Amino acid sequence: MSVTHVELPASSHIHPPPDTFIKKYVFSLDHKVIAIQYFITAGLFLVFAGLLAELMRVQLMGPNNHVLSVAVFNQAYSLHGTAMVWLVGIPIVTGAFGNLIMPVQIGARDVAFPWLNMLSFWMLPVAGILVFASLLFGAPQAGWTEYPPVSLQLPLGESLSLWCAGVFVIGVSSTITGLNFLVTIVKMRAPGMTYTRMPLFVWATGVTAFLSMIATANLSAALAGLFIQHNFGVPFYDVTRGGAPVLWQHVFWFYSHPAVYILILPAFGIVSEVIPTFVRRPIFGYKAIAYSSAAIGLLSFMVWAHHMFTSGLQHWEQLFFMLLTMVIAVPTGIKIFSWVTTLWRGKIRLDSPLLFVLGFLSTFTLGGITGVMLASVPADAQEHASYFVVAHIHYVLFGGTIFGIFAGLYYWWPKMTGRMLDERLGKWHFWLMYIFFNLTFLPMHWAGLMGMPRRVATYDPMFAGTNLFVSISSFVLAASILIFIYNAYRSARYGEPAGPNPWGARTLEWMIPSPMPYYNFRDVPIVLSGPYDYGKPLPYANISQDLAMTPVR
Amino acid sequence: MKLEQREPLLDSGFWRAVAVMTVISIVLMVGVVVFPVEKYLPEAANISKPIDDLFKFCAFFGAPIFVFINGFLLYFSIRYRRRPDEPIDAVGSEIHEHHGLEVTWTIIPSLLMIVLAVLSYLVIPMYYPTNQAFASAVTLEAIGHKFYYEFRYPGLKQSVMNELHLPIGVPVTVDLTSAEDEQDVHNGAVIHSFWVPEFRVKQDMIPGIVIPIHFTPSEIGMYRIVCSEFCGLGHSHMWGKVIVQTRAEFDAWYADQQRAAASPIAAPLSLAGGNPSAGQTIFNAKCTVCHNAAPFAQRKVGPGLAQLFDDPDHPDLVTGKKATPDNVADILEHGAHGDMGVMPNMQANGLTPKDVADLVAYLRTLR
Ligand code: HEM
Ligand SMILES: [Cu+2]
């Protein structure tokens, strides 16, 4: 096999590997180590936030329960939502997966600004400590959305300031990461990697980076307003002194709707990587999937007020936001149809990464359908702020983002650690999680439509049966994650070595050893065509072919 | 490659799977159409059915999408699994685009969305009045308080708390807002929501804005009013009632209210004969939203009330008066406004004079 050897550009130089523990594992500049730092930190927050959810479900096992006081219950759901969105979801899908995979998939040796990358990461524990420290002062109680005026009234003292500061910090981190990733993708692709040869995970990460960079500043603005009103009395959101409570809602959702796409697009990217690998055929509709990510990214700035259909919008505003919200379902649909079609006539291997992807497609579809139901202004009148919305967000964020995260973890674990996870445990994890996810969240649609509002510590006894059922299912759902934790531990102790390419995939991260070496590529790879042409020779020059040819496990 | 040339791309197994999914879809779609919503949740206003129909429209077309996606996931992942006897590096079909298919699955959902948007837009004016066309309707005011609803009827001097009486078949416009009189930072007005699930009406009550909402009750009965916008510690218990009555019943109720307004000074409350155990029942039903039967420090919204009458640290009530039975009854009757928030008055809490007597008797038994 003749491989053209290409000299590195004169400007590129290799820093020596870090020599101290602190430089290597604590203040690391290496994107792969930073990714693992994100996984571990956000994983811890996931456990906290999950425990808060289970506390809520204990309280809700029956009407008029007194396990938690109302105030503690409110704090539990507020910090649960805050943490799941900002300390778990966004850091994992961008900071962790984006860092671990994106630079390698474009053939780069690191991100554009490693130092900023380190800074972004270190903001996560700071933000987490600020947010959870608000518990010491009686945390905020108005949910992750913290609508004023009520958010300004309930926590007496410092907790709202801490909450604002924490979310602000993670917002800045997210903005910086966005900038960093966008520059990396635009400037640092290997020779020959045109935009239409980029892996779809890179497309997704690129659009996400754009959203994080542009949208997050609005969150910062909204938070600054809340903080200033709370501490210095400038009445941004106070109607009696010339402000407007609805102002917060507009600015908050102008960020937070794009944010839901920050949460889901990278998961879409993971799905697009896992499917061709385990179906052993080119992904169907590469361009449609790539461009629909871009379309979603743009449209996501034009639908924010669909969260505010009951906040007294004008008629034309209702029509505008309804139409665009429905339009955004179309590119989402295109992706799902393309993925399903890719399964057709494949040679499918049902390993755990693919199982989680199938679970994703199955549950996310329902979340998309309920999304359209919520987009219809009159239908939303019944559904808004009820358990129906709670069900919707969990179908898209748990059924979507969390299933996507686990698909990605099972898929890239060997690459990240150099060891395999146990397949049997993976399958147990999947089936328990899939079944009990649905048992937990499906009944909530019904409760919501029948009149159960969200954010309540007690409810009409007519909902008792549903809630007990939901609570019990949620306990099993949480327990299923223990299987993963055990699997990870088992892999560290006894896992079989993975080799560079255990799944026989074709993107660049699989062309180098596992775990990935410092600086990733000895020579900069050259890309000759797209990454998903199974059955054809590998589309790279300048890589070590003997690694790449490792057969499928 | 060779395989693909020999057998048709879409084989008989594929069509069998499609047939099964079609049957399931049709069953579900018919199910959606005939589903008797009103058996589970009355459609008690004129707009309920149009709104349910929009929901059904989404469910009608959502059902086949859901069935086909899940069906294909299941069918493909079984049918196209790599068999153990196939080579380990076997690959699947190379077909990776098909313009007809891709255009179809772009156009059809787009059309569906446009139809849904148009249908939805036609329903909106039914409950958000666009112009003076609703001038003929009776206009009521509804004001959200922490944590109860106040209703003002035209021609009625006093407000009605937590109970909205409406005559059947009469179009009403309800002007919704949040209490403006509660304005300081800690107790200021907040956003509430007026949700009557049986009507399919939900509208936020926002401080400083009046939002009219329009509907015609169409079924006699008693329905829930639920606050669905988090409004504070009492949010979980912020419930009211809508009572839809015949015209005659409504007129009788209305006349009663007018009579009550005409005799302004009601007889002073008498605390004699208060029954502590009846008081306990009322306390648990109505007061535990905001109070514990525990020492002062164990507050919820308001203070714990167990040592109300003999707490050396708190000899005075929030009104600044001594903690005597009469002064406590005064708070129960008129409500109170202090550092911790606003306590609703007797009407808002739905208390009769007898209830007040029972409650005071009960509170006196607490230690
Ligand atoms: C087909 C695509 C989707 C449509 C049409 C859609 C539509 C909507 C609408 C109209 C609402 C507001 C409901 C209400 O408050 O009354 C909503 C809420 C929400 N959606 Fe979606 N959605 C879609 C997909 C997603 C995705 C992909 C995510 C995130 C991964 C997401 C996350 C959320 C969240 C978190 C909320 C609730 C926010 C809150 O009030 O706490 N949605 N969605
Ligand atoms: Cu949204």
Side-chain angles (χ1 to χ4, degrees), chain A residues 363 366-367 370 374 383 386-399 437 440-448 454:
Chain A
T363 51
L366 192 58
T370 55
L374 290 161
E383 300 151 355
S386 76
Y387 259 77
F388 190 87
V389 171
V390 178
H392 164 73
I393 67 182
H394 287 91
Y395 265 84
V396 287
L397 288 177
F398 197 130
F437 165 80
T440 303
F441 293 105
L442 197 63
M444 290 185 185
H445 293 100
W446 179 250
R454 70 198 280 201

PDB file of all heavy atoms in Angstrom, chain A residues 363 366-367 370 374 383 386-399 437 440-448 454:
ATOM      1  N   THR A 363     -38.426   6.964  21.258  1.00  0.00           N
ATOM      2  CA  THR A 363     -39.023   7.882  22.223  1.00  0.00           C
ATOM      3  C   THR A 363     -39.008   9.315  21.710  1.00  0.00           C
ATOM      4  O   THR A 363     -39.967  10.055  21.901  1.00  0.00           O
ATOM      5  CB  THR A 363     -38.282   7.816  23.565  1.00  0.00           C
ATOM      6  OG1 THR A 363     -36.899   7.976  23.320  1.00  0.00           O
ATOM      7  CG2 THR A 363     -38.511   6.515  24.254  1.00  0.00           C
ATOM      8  N   LEU A 366     -42.017  10.371  19.713  1.00  0.00           N
ATOM      9  CA  LEU A 366     -43.205  10.775  20.469  1.00  0.00           C
ATOM     10  C   LEU A 366     -43.042  12.206  20.990  1.00  0.00           C
ATOM     11  O   LEU A 366     -43.983  13.002  20.965  1.00  0.00           O
ATOM     12  CB  LEU A 366     -43.447   9.799  21.622  1.00  0.00           C
ATOM     13  CG  LEU A 366     -44.808   9.973  22.287  1.00  0.00           C
ATOM     14  CD1 LEU A 366     -45.926   9.800  21.286  1.00  0.00           C
ATOM     15  CD2 LEU A 366     -44.984   9.005  23.431  1.00  0.00           C
ATOM     16  N   GLY A 367     -41.829  12.535  21.428  1.00  0.00           N
ATOM     17  CA  GLY A 367     -41.596  13.901  21.897  1.00  0.00           C
ATOM     18  C   GLY A 367     -41.806  14.921  20.787  1.00  0.00           C
ATOM     19  O   GLY A 367     -42.309  16.023  21.028  1.00  0.00           O
ATOM     20  N   THR A 370     -45.642  15.278  20.308  1.00  0.00           N
ATOM     21  CA  THR A 370     -46.269  16.127  21.332  1.00  0.00           C
ATOM     22  C   THR A 370     -45.797  17.565  21.173  1.00  0.00           C
ATOM     23  O   THR A 370     -46.539  18.490  21.492  1.00  0.00           O
ATOM     24  CB  THR A 370     -45.969  15.638  22.758  1.00  0.00           C
ATOM     25  OG1 THR A 370     -44.558  15.547  22.928  1.00  0.00           O
ATOM     26  CG2 THR A 370     -46.608  14.300  23.030  1.00  0.00           C
ATOM     27  N   LEU A 374     -48.133  20.868  21.096  1.00  0.00           N
ATOM     28  CA  LEU A 374     -47.932  22.066  21.912  1.00  0.00           C
ATOM     29  C   LEU A 374     -47.821  23.326  21.054  1.00  0.00           C
ATOM     30  O   LEU A 374     -48.060  24.433  21.523  1.00  0.00           O
ATOM     31  CB  LEU A 374     -46.653  21.934  22.741  1.00  0.00           C
ATOM     32  CG  LEU A 374     -46.688  20.916  23.862  1.00  0.00           C
ATOM     33  CD1 LEU A 374     -45.283  20.545  24.289  1.00  0.00           C
ATOM     34  CD2 LEU A 374     -47.449  21.465  25.046  1.00  0.00           C
ATOM     35  N   GLU A 383     -52.562  22.281  27.374  1.00  0.00           N
ATOM     36  CA  GLU A 383     -51.361  21.520  27.720  1.00  0.00           C
ATOM     37  C   GLU A 383     -50.325  22.332  28.489  1.00  0.00           C
ATOM     38  O   GLU A 383     -49.566  21.787  29.293  1.00  0.00           O
ATOM     39  CB  GLU A 383     -50.712  21.020  26.426  1.00  0.00           C
ATOM     40  CG  GLU A 383     -51.619  20.122  25.619  1.00  0.00           C
ATOM     41  CD  GLU A 383     -51.339  20.189  24.123  1.00  0.00           C
ATOM     42  OE1 GLU A 383     -50.503  20.997  23.696  1.00  0.00           O
ATOM     43  OE2 GLU A 383     -51.972  19.436  23.391  1.00  0.00           O
ATOM     44  N   SER A 386     -48.661  22.168  32.266  1.00  0.00           N
ATOM     45  CA  SER A 386     -49.256  21.012  32.931  1.00  0.00           C
ATOM     46  C   SER A 386     -48.265  19.859  32.858  1.00  0.00           C
ATOM     47  O   SER A 386     -47.180  19.989  32.287  1.00  0.00           O
ATOM     48  CB  SER A 386     -50.540  20.598  32.210  1.00  0.00           C
ATOM     49  OG  SER A 386     -50.210  19.921  31.017  1.00  0.00           O
ATOM     50  N   TYR A 387     -48.656  18.721  33.396  1.00  0.00           N
ATOM     51  CA  TYR A 387     -47.791  17.548  33.302  1.00  0.00           C
ATOM     52  C   TYR A 387     -47.603  17.086  31.861  1.00  0.00           C
ATOM     53  O   TYR A 387     -46.685  16.316  31.577  1.00  0.00           O
ATOM     54  CB  TYR A 387     -48.294  16.419  34.209  1.00  0.00           C
ATOM     55  CG  TYR A 387     -47.461  16.405  35.462  1.00  0.00           C
ATOM     56  CD1 TYR A 387     -47.673  17.347  36.458  1.00  0.00           C
ATOM     57  CD2 TYR A 387     -46.396  15.520  35.618  1.00  0.00           C
ATOM     58  CE1 TYR A 387     -46.863  17.404  37.570  1.00  0.00           C
ATOM     59  CE2 TYR A 387     -45.581  15.572  36.720  1.00  0.00           C
ATOM     60  CZ  TYR A 387     -45.810  16.504  37.689  1.00  0.00           C
ATOM     61  OH  TYR A 387     -44.989  16.568  38.777  1.00  0.00           O
ATOM     62  N   PHE A 388     -48.444  17.564  30.946  1.00  0.00           N
ATOM     63  CA  PHE A 388     -48.226  17.228  29.540  1.00  0.00           C
ATOM     64  C   PHE A 388     -46.884  17.795  29.072  1.00  0.00           C
ATOM     65  O   PHE A 388     -46.122  17.128  28.359  1.00  0.00           O
ATOM     66  CB  PHE A 388     -49.373  17.794  28.694  1.00  0.00           C
ATOM     67  CG  PHE A 388     -49.368  17.306  27.268  1.00  0.00           C
ATOM     68  CD1 PHE A 388     -49.993  16.121  26.916  1.00  0.00           C
ATOM     69  CD2 PHE A 388     -48.729  18.031  26.268  1.00  0.00           C
ATOM     70  CE1 PHE A 388     -49.985  15.670  25.613  1.00  0.00           C
ATOM     71  CE2 PHE A 388     -48.710  17.583  24.955  1.00  0.00           C
ATOM     72  CZ  PHE A 388     -49.348  16.397  24.625  1.00  0.00           C
ATOM     73  N   VAL A 389     -46.595  19.028  29.482  1.00  0.00           N
ATOM     74  CA  VAL A 389     -45.314  19.630  29.111  1.00  0.00           C
ATOM     75  C   VAL A 389     -44.164  18.899  29.810  1.00  0.00           C
ATOM     76  O   VAL A 389     -43.106  18.669  29.220  1.00  0.00           O
ATOM     77  CB  VAL A 389     -45.297  21.138  29.438  1.00  0.00           C
ATOM     78  CG1 VAL A 389     -43.906  21.708  29.262  1.00  0.00           C
ATOM     79  CG2 VAL A 389     -46.282  21.877  28.569  1.00  0.00           C
ATOM     80  N   VAL A 390     -44.399  18.502  31.055  1.00  0.00           N
ATOM     81  CA  VAL A 390     -43.367  17.734  31.753  1.00  0.00           C
ATOM     82  C   VAL A 390     -43.061  16.459  30.972  1.00  0.00           C
ATOM     83  O   VAL A 390     -41.901  16.078  30.787  1.00  0.00           O
ATOM     84  CB  VAL A 390     -43.818  17.413  33.194  1.00  0.00           C
ATOM     85  CG1 VAL A 390     -42.774  16.576  33.901  1.00  0.00           C
ATOM     86  CG2 VAL A 390     -44.094  18.700  33.959  1.00  0.00           C
ATOM     87  N   ALA A 391     -44.107  15.809  30.477  1.00  0.00           N
ATOM     88  CA  ALA A 391     -43.893  14.597  29.684  1.00  0.00           C
ATOM     89  C   ALA A 391     -43.136  14.923  28.398  1.00  0.00           C
ATOM     90  O   ALA A 391     -42.168  14.247  28.046  1.00  0.00           O
ATOM     91  CB  ALA A 391     -45.230  13.940  29.367  1.00  0.00           C
ATOM     92  N   HIS A 392     -43.559  15.984  27.716  1.00  0.00           N
ATOM     93  CA  HIS A 392     -42.876  16.366  26.466  1.00  0.00           C
ATOM     94  C   HIS A 392     -41.380  16.596  26.700  1.00  0.00           C
ATOM     95  O   HIS A 392     -40.544  16.057  25.984  1.00  0.00           O
ATOM     96  CB  HIS A 392     -43.520  17.631  25.884  1.00  0.00           C
ATOM     97  CG  HIS A 392     -42.690  18.319  24.834  1.00  0.00           C
ATOM     98  ND1 HIS A 392     -42.534  17.820  23.560  1.00  0.00           N
ATOM     99  CD2 HIS A 392     -41.953  19.462  24.870  1.00  0.00           C
ATOM    100  CE1 HIS A 392     -41.748  18.632  22.866  1.00  0.00           C
ATOM    101  NE2 HIS A 392     -41.366  19.630  23.633  1.00  0.00           N
ATOM    102  N   ILE A 393     -41.054  17.387  27.692  1.00  0.00           N
ATOM    103  CA  ILE A 393     -39.636  17.711  27.850  1.00  0.00           C
ATOM    104  C   ILE A 393     -38.837  16.470  28.219  1.00  0.00           C
ATOM    105  O   ILE A 393     -37.696  16.332  27.833  1.00  0.00           O
ATOM    106  CB  ILE A 393     -39.363  18.857  28.855  1.00  0.00           C
ATOM    107  CG1 ILE A 393     -39.715  18.478  30.261  1.00  0.00           C
ATOM    108  CG2 ILE A 393     -40.074  20.098  28.485  1.00  0.00           C
ATOM    109  CD1 ILE A 393     -39.494  19.630  31.225  1.00  0.00           C
ATOM    110  N   HIS A 394     -39.442  15.550  28.937  1.00  0.00           N
ATOM    111  CA  HIS A 394     -38.670  14.352  29.259  1.00  0.00           C
ATOM    112  C   HIS A 394     -38.568  13.409  28.070  1.00  0.00           C
ATOM    113  O   HIS A 394     -37.578  12.715  27.930  1.00  0.00           O
ATOM    114  CB  HIS A 394     -39.217  13.684  30.507  1.00  0.00           C
ATOM    115  CG  HIS A 394     -38.885  14.464  31.750  1.00  0.00           C
ATOM    116  ND1 HIS A 394     -39.721  15.421  32.260  1.00  0.00           N
ATOM    117  CD2 HIS A 394     -37.784  14.482  32.528  1.00  0.00           C
ATOM    118  CE1 HIS A 394     -39.151  15.987  33.325  1.00  0.00           C
ATOM    119  NE2 HIS A 394     -37.974  15.436  33.507  1.00  0.00           N
ATOM    120  N   TYR A 395     -39.574  13.389  27.206  1.00  0.00           N
ATOM    121  CA  TYR A 395     -39.431  12.567  25.995  1.00  0.00           C
ATOM    122  C   TYR A 395     -38.333  13.114  25.094  1.00  0.00           C
ATOM    123  O   TYR A 395     -37.628  12.356  24.438  1.00  0.00           O
ATOM    124  CB  TYR A 395     -40.765  12.428  25.252  1.00  0.00           C
ATOM    125  CG  TYR A 395     -41.459  11.153  25.670  1.00  0.00           C
ATOM    126  CD1 TYR A 395     -42.237  11.103  26.813  1.00  0.00           C
ATOM    127  CD2 TYR A 395     -41.270   9.978  24.959  1.00  0.00           C
ATOM    128  CE1 TYR A 395     -42.823   9.922  27.236  1.00  0.00           C
ATOM    129  CE2 TYR A 395     -41.850   8.793  25.364  1.00  0.00           C
ATOM    130  CZ  TYR A 395     -42.629   8.768  26.514  1.00  0.00           C
ATOM    131  OH  TYR A 395     -43.177   7.599  26.920  1.00  0.00           O
ATOM    132  N   VAL A 396     -38.171  14.428  25.047  1.00  0.00           N
ATOM    133  CA  VAL A 396     -37.101  14.945  24.198  1.00  0.00           C
ATOM    134  C   VAL A 396     -35.754  15.007  24.917  1.00  0.00           C
ATOM    135  O   VAL A 396     -34.719  14.789  24.306  1.00  0.00           O
ATOM    136  CB  VAL A 396     -37.448  16.323  23.590  1.00  0.00           C
ATOM    137  CG1 VAL A 396     -38.495  16.164  22.501  1.00  0.00           C
ATOM    138  CG2 VAL A 396     -37.903  17.304  24.627  1.00  0.00           C
ATOM    139  N   LEU A 397     -35.786  15.324  26.213  1.00  0.00           N
ATOM    140  CA  LEU A 397     -34.500  15.495  26.897  1.00  0.00           C
ATOM    141  C   LEU A 397     -33.974  14.206  27.515  1.00  0.00           C
ATOM    142  O   LEU A 397     -32.774  13.963  27.518  1.00  0.00           O
ATOM    143  CB  LEU A 397     -34.610  16.578  27.970  1.00  0.00           C
ATOM    144  CG  LEU A 397     -34.728  17.991  27.403  1.00  0.00           C
ATOM    145  CD1 LEU A 397     -34.904  19.007  28.487  1.00  0.00           C
ATOM    146  CD2 LEU A 397     -33.518  18.320  26.561  1.00  0.00           C
ATOM    147  N   PHE A 398     -34.844  13.373  28.045  1.00  0.00           N
ATOM    148  CA  PHE A 398     -34.379  12.078  28.553  1.00  0.00           C
ATOM    149  C   PHE A 398     -34.382  11.087  27.395  1.00  0.00           C
ATOM    150  O   PHE A 398     -33.332  10.541  27.024  1.00  0.00           O
ATOM    151  CB  PHE A 398     -35.281  11.621  29.708  1.00  0.00           C
ATOM    152  CG  PHE A 398     -34.672  10.527  30.560  1.00  0.00           C
ATOM    153  CD1 PHE A 398     -34.646  10.633  31.948  1.00  0.00           C
ATOM    154  CD2 PHE A 398     -34.130   9.403  29.980  1.00  0.00           C
ATOM    155  CE1 PHE A 398     -34.081   9.630  32.726  1.00  0.00           C
ATOM    156  CE2 PHE A 398     -33.571   8.399  30.753  1.00  0.00           C
ATOM    157  CZ  PHE A 398     -33.546   8.521  32.130  1.00  0.00           C
ATOM    158  N   GLY A 399     -35.553  10.901  26.782  1.00  0.00           N
ATOM    159  CA  GLY A 399     -35.644   9.975  25.648  1.00  0.00           C
ATOM    160  C   GLY A 399     -34.709  10.386  24.525  1.00  0.00           C
ATOM    161  O   GLY A 399     -34.217   9.554  23.779  1.00  0.00           O
ATOM    162  N   PHE A 437     -38.404   4.087  31.470  1.00  0.00           N
ATOM    163  CA  PHE A 437     -38.553   5.470  31.015  1.00  0.00           C
ATOM    164  C   PHE A 437     -39.980   5.693  30.530  1.00  0.00           C
ATOM    165  O   PHE A 437     -40.659   6.643  30.922  1.00  0.00           O
ATOM    166  CB  PHE A 437     -37.564   5.794  29.892  1.00  0.00           C
ATOM    167  CG  PHE A 437     -37.918   7.052  29.159  1.00  0.00           C
ATOM    168  CD1 PHE A 437     -37.597   8.284  29.699  1.00  0.00           C
ATOM    169  CD2 PHE A 437     -38.621   7.010  27.963  1.00  0.00           C
ATOM    170  CE1 PHE A 437     -37.969   9.458  29.056  1.00  0.00           C
ATOM    171  CE2 PHE A 437     -38.996   8.174  27.308  1.00  0.00           C
ATOM    172  CZ  PHE A 437     -38.665   9.402  27.866  1.00  0.00           C
ATOM    173  N   THR A 440     -42.523   5.618  33.240  1.00  0.00           N
ATOM    174  CA  THR A 440     -42.491   6.807  34.094  1.00  0.00           C
ATOM    175  C   THR A 440     -43.154   7.994  33.414  1.00  0.00           C
ATOM    176  O   THR A 440     -43.948   8.705  34.037  1.00  0.00           O
ATOM    177  CB  THR A 440     -41.030   7.176  34.432  1.00  0.00           C
ATOM    178  OG1 THR A 440     -40.412   6.054  35.057  1.00  0.00           O
ATOM    179  CG2 THR A 440     -40.972   8.360  35.379  1.00  0.00           C
ATOM    180  N   PHE A 441     -42.840   8.210  32.156  1.00  0.00           N
ATOM    181  CA  PHE A 441     -43.242   9.489  31.567  1.00  0.00           C
ATOM    182  C   PHE A 441     -44.487   9.426  30.691  1.00  0.00           C
ATOM    183  O   PHE A 441     -45.155  10.439  30.511  1.00  0.00           O
ATOM    184  CB  PHE A 441     -42.070  10.101  30.799  1.00  0.00           C
ATOM    185  CG  PHE A 441     -40.952  10.511  31.720  1.00  0.00           C
ATOM    186  CD1 PHE A 441     -39.781   9.780  31.823  1.00  0.00           C
ATOM    187  CD2 PHE A 441     -41.114  11.612  32.546  1.00  0.00           C
ATOM    188  CE1 PHE A 441     -38.774  10.149  32.710  1.00  0.00           C
ATOM    189  CE2 PHE A 441     -40.125  11.996  33.433  1.00  0.00           C
ATOM    190  CZ  PHE A 441     -38.957  11.261  33.513  1.00  0.00           C
ATOM    191  N   LEU A 442     -44.813   8.255  30.155  1.00  0.00           N
ATOM    192  CA  LEU A 442     -46.013   8.199  29.312  1.00  0.00           C
ATOM    193  C   LEU A 442     -47.272   8.614  30.074  1.00  0.00           C
ATOM    194  O   LEU A 442     -48.048   9.433  29.585  1.00  0.00           O
ATOM    195  CB  LEU A 442     -46.163   6.798  28.705  1.00  0.00           C
ATOM    196  CG  LEU A 442     -47.114   6.710  27.515  1.00  0.00           C
ATOM    197  CD1 LEU A 442     -46.606   7.560  26.361  1.00  0.00           C
ATOM    198  CD2 LEU A 442     -47.252   5.262  27.055  1.00  0.00           C
ATOM    199  N   PRO A 443     -47.488   8.093  31.293  1.00  0.00           N
ATOM    200  CA  PRO A 443     -48.741   8.457  31.989  1.00  0.00           C
ATOM    201  C   PRO A 443     -48.852   9.948  32.300  1.00  0.00           C
ATOM    202  O   PRO A 443     -49.959  10.449  32.507  1.00  0.00           O
ATOM    203  CB  PRO A 443     -48.668   7.653  33.297  1.00  0.00           C
ATOM    204  CG  PRO A 443     -47.656   6.594  33.075  1.00  0.00           C
ATOM    205  CD  PRO A 443     -46.684   7.149  32.078  1.00  0.00           C
ATOM    206  N   MET A 444     -47.716  10.651  32.324  1.00  0.00           N
ATOM    207  CA  MET A 444     -47.795  12.073  32.652  1.00  0.00           C
ATOM    208  C   MET A 444     -48.574  12.861  31.601  1.00  0.00           C
ATOM    209  O   MET A 444     -49.196  13.866  31.920  1.00  0.00           O
ATOM    210  CB  MET A 444     -46.390  12.657  32.774  1.00  0.00           C
ATOM    211  CG  MET A 444     -45.629  12.182  33.988  1.00  0.00           C
ATOM    212  SD  MET A 444     -44.069  13.078  34.065  1.00  0.00           S
ATOM    213  CE  MET A 444     -43.314  12.251  35.457  1.00  0.00           C
ATOM    214  N   HIS A 445     -48.522  12.417  30.349  1.00  0.00           N
ATOM    215  CA  HIS A 445     -49.309  13.117  29.322  1.00  0.00           C
ATOM    216  C   HIS A 445     -50.774  13.157  29.742  1.00  0.00           C
ATOM    217  O   HIS A 445     -51.438  14.187  29.679  1.00  0.00           O
ATOM    218  CB  HIS A 445     -49.238  12.369  27.984  1.00  0.00           C
ATOM    219  CG  HIS A 445     -47.885  12.370  27.336  1.00  0.00           C
ATOM    220  ND1 HIS A 445     -47.031  11.311  27.404  1.00  0.00           N
ATOM    221  CD2 HIS A 445     -47.258  13.309  26.586  1.00  0.00           C
ATOM    222  CE1 HIS A 445     -45.930  11.588  26.720  1.00  0.00           C
ATOM    223  NE2 HIS A 445     -46.029  12.795  26.220  1.00  0.00           N
ATOM    224  N   TRP A 446     -51.255  12.013  30.158  1.00  0.00           N
ATOM    225  CA  TRP A 446     -52.665  11.880  30.510  1.00  0.00           C
ATOM    226  C   TRP A 446     -53.007  12.769  31.706  1.00  0.00           C
ATOM    227  O   TRP A 446     -53.966  13.549  31.668  1.00  0.00           O
ATOM    228  CB  TRP A 446     -52.947  10.402  30.802  1.00  0.00           C
ATOM    229  CG  TRP A 446     -54.347  10.119  31.197  1.00  0.00           C
ATOM    230  CD1 TRP A 446     -54.793   9.755  32.431  1.00  0.00           C
ATOM    231  CD2 TRP A 446     -55.508  10.161  30.350  1.00  0.00           C
ATOM    232  NE1 TRP A 446     -56.141   9.580  32.407  1.00  0.00           N
ATOM    233  CE2 TRP A 446     -56.612   9.821  31.144  1.00  0.00           C
ATOM    234  CE3 TRP A 446     -55.717  10.469  29.002  1.00  0.00           C
ATOM    235  CZ2 TRP A 446     -57.912   9.770  30.639  1.00  0.00           C
ATOM    236  CZ3 TRP A 446     -57.015  10.411  28.510  1.00  0.00           C
ATOM    237  CH2 TRP A 446     -58.083  10.073  29.312  1.00  0.00           C
ATOM    238  N   ALA A 447     -52.173  12.673  32.754  1.00  0.00           N
ATOM    239  CA  ALA A 447     -52.445  13.484  33.948  1.00  0.00           C
ATOM    240  C   ALA A 447     -52.516  14.960  33.574  1.00  0.00           C
ATOM    241  O   ALA A 447     -53.400  15.695  34.037  1.00  0.00           O
ATOM    242  CB  ALA A 447     -51.364  13.250  34.995  1.00  0.00           C
ATOM    243  N   GLY A 448     -51.612  15.398  32.711  1.00  0.00           N
ATOM    244  CA  GLY A 448     -51.598  16.806  32.327  1.00  0.00           C
ATOM    245  C   GLY A 448     -52.864  17.202  31.597  1.00  0.00           C
ATOM    246  O   GLY A 448     -53.493  18.215  31.914  1.00  0.00           O
ATOM    247  N   ARG A 454     -48.107  21.548  36.563  1.00  0.00           N
ATOM    248  CA  ARG A 454     -46.754  21.194  36.959  1.00  0.00           C
ATOM    249  C   ARG A 454     -46.367  21.999  38.199  1.00  0.00           C
ATOM    250  O   ARG A 454     -47.029  22.948  38.573  1.00  0.00           O
ATOM    251  CB  ARG A 454     -45.794  21.485  35.808  1.00  0.00           C
ATOM    252  CG  ARG A 454     -45.587  22.957  35.535  1.00  0.00           C
ATOM    253  CD  ARG A 454     -44.994  23.210  34.168  1.00  0.00           C
ATOM    254  NE  ARG A 454     -43.562  22.984  34.154  1.00  0.00           N
ATOM    255  CZ  ARG A 454     -42.741  23.517  33.222  1.00  0.00           C
ATOM    256  NH1 ARG A 454     -43.225  24.287  32.273  1.00  0.00           N
ATOM    257  NH2 ARG A 454     -41.464  23.262  33.247  1.00  0.00           N
TER     258      ARG A 454
END
